Amino acid sequence: MFSIRKIALLGLPLVAFAGAASVAHADPCLSLSGCIQQDVSNQVSSAKDSAKNSGNQLVNGVRDQAKQRWNNATEAEREKLLAKGGALTSTGANATEKLNNAEKTVKERWNNASTAERQKILAQRDKLTNAGNSVNNAEKNVQDRVKKATTLPSIPSLPSL
């Protein structure tokens, strides 16, 4: 008789907790953190879908306009359009050249810098690196907090009877 009471007293809270956990798992909005996580997840999915659809509509619209313009163009207009395409290619080449020149300038500046100037440059680099690391750490902390807030606690094991 005593063991039945002991089992009932120990088992009842466990059954109640297990039932509550299964209900909370079935419907995430029964718990505050589950509801918040579900709402955030829905909003992120909605924003992604909206951006994807808008991007697809924009690309398709531009592509359709370009096809229509090409189909309706005279031979002279088509030659101009092809020339514009070449101009875009040369613009990309110019951008690459500017990047290479900037890199060369930075190397020359470093090579011609005094020790004090090099220390200043390194200090600026370290300051920017530390700022970037701080941002990355803050993002990771937020993500960890969200994970902790939305994770169900594990069920503790009961001592054997």
Side-chain angles (χ1 to χ4, degrees):
M1 189 73 156
F2 178 70
S3 63
I4 294 175
R5 280 190 214 159
K6 186 175 179 181
I7 292 171
L9 288 176
L10 292 175
L12 186 59
L14 177 62
V15 170
F17 180 75
S22 66
V23 169
H25 183 69
D27 185 3
C29 277
L30 290 179
S31 68
L32 179 60
S33 63
C35 195
I36 291 170
Q37 182 183 16
Q38 185 67 33
D39 187 41
V40 168
S41 177
N42 289 343
Q43 288 179 5
V44 168
S45 295
S46 176
K48 283 181 181 179
D49 291 342
S50 177
K52 183 178 178 182
N53 291 337
S54 296
N56 286 340
Q57 288 175 356
L58 177 64
V59 168
N60 290 337
V62 169
R63 185 179 297 133
D64 291 343
Q65 286 178 357
K67 284 180 183 178
Q68 185 178 11
R69 187 171 176 192
W70 180 262
N71 291 336
N72 294 334
T74 64
E75 192 62 35
E77 290 172 333
R78 287 183 181 180
E79 288 178 16
K80 287 180 184 178
L81 290 171
L82 289 173
K84 283 184 181 178
L88 292 176
T89 303
S90 66
T91 301
N94 289 340
T96 303
E97 185 180 345
K98 286 180 182 179
L99 181 62
N100 290 338
N101 288 340
E103 183 179 1
K104 184 179 175 183
T105 301
V106 168
K107 285 180 181 179
E108 287 175 358
R109 182 178 169 211
W110 178 260
N111 291 334
N112 295 331
S114 67
T115 304
E117 289 173 341
R118 286 183 178 185
Q119 288 176 347
K120 285 180 185 179
I121 293 170
L122 292 174
Q124 289 174 342
R125 181 203 60 191
D126 292 344
K127 188 175 183 180
L128 291 173
T129 301
N130 290 338
N133 290 341
S134 295
V135 170
N136 290 339
N137 289 339
E139 289 175 350
K140 187 179 181 318
N141 288 340
V142 169
Q143 290 172 349
D144 290 346
R145 287 181 187 168
V146 169
K147 286 179 185 175
K148 287 178 184 176
T150 58
T151 306
L152 289 173
S154 61
I155 298 174
S157 61
L158 292 176
S160 59
L161 300 175

